[in-house]
Amino acid sequence: MKRVYSIKSKNELDLVFKEKKSVGNGYFVIYFIPHETPHFKYAISIGKKFGNAVERNQAKRRLRYIISNYSNYINPKYRFVIVVRPQSNLLPYDLIKENITKLLIKAKLIEKEVQN
């Protein structure tokens, strides 16, 4: 994914957390807000309780890959932050993708028919 799709500044991130709507399950939470941009913007938040640096980086790589697969289908008028909970450390890739897809549909960031 290109850098233009990522939320870079702390002010942008704070705005999402301040004016948020959220959907979540036991493994992930997605906070999102509508915003007028030509494309969506996102960030991934993962705490140190998740595991060591290798595990956290692997989880972020997996999430970035899932988001890049759905990039053509995500509503461009939103900013969102994916918060990774420590329980998701035990999930294989298929279940991570399934959980993220369900949450994106629940948040109405993608359409229901688009599941890959």
Side-chain angles (χ1 to χ4, degrees), residues 7 10-21 30-33 35 41-43 78-82:
I7 295 176
K10 182 168 176 17
N11 292 335
E12 284 182 289
L13 200 59
D14 289 342
L15 181 68
V16 173
F17 282 120
K18 181 181 175 190
E19 300 179 14
K20 66 188 174 226
K21 294 180 185 173
I30 298 179
Y31 297 105
F32 58 97
I33 60 169
H35 187 71
K41 286 188 156 198
Y42 77 101
Y78 282 93
R79 290 182 184 177
F80 60 96
V81 177
I82 300 173

Side-chain angles (χ1 to χ4, degrees), residues 29-74:
V29 179
I30 298 179
Y31 297 105
F32 58 97
I33 60 169
H35 187 71
E36 294 300 321
T37 55
H39 49 77
F40 68 92
K41 286 188 156 198
Y42 77 101
I44 299 170
S45 174
I46 186 166
K48 287 198 174 188
K49 289 185 179 180
F50 185 85
N52 64 22
V54 173
E55 294 167 337
R56 291 192 303 269
N57 288 333
Q58 182 184 32
K60 289 188 285 187
R61 277 195 309 272
R62 287 177 171 181
L63 289 172
R64 281 194 296 265
Y65 183 72
I66 291 167
I67 296 300
S68 70
N69 284 341
Y70 289 120
S71 64
N72 294 330
Y73 307 110
I74 295 176

Side-chain angles (χ1 to χ4, degrees), residues 91-105:
L91 293 178
Y93 174 77
D94 296 336
L95 288 177
I96 292 172
K97 184 175 180 180
E98 181 181 321
N99 279 301
I100 291 295
T101 304
K102 285 180 182 178
L103 289 177
L104 289 172
I105 291 170

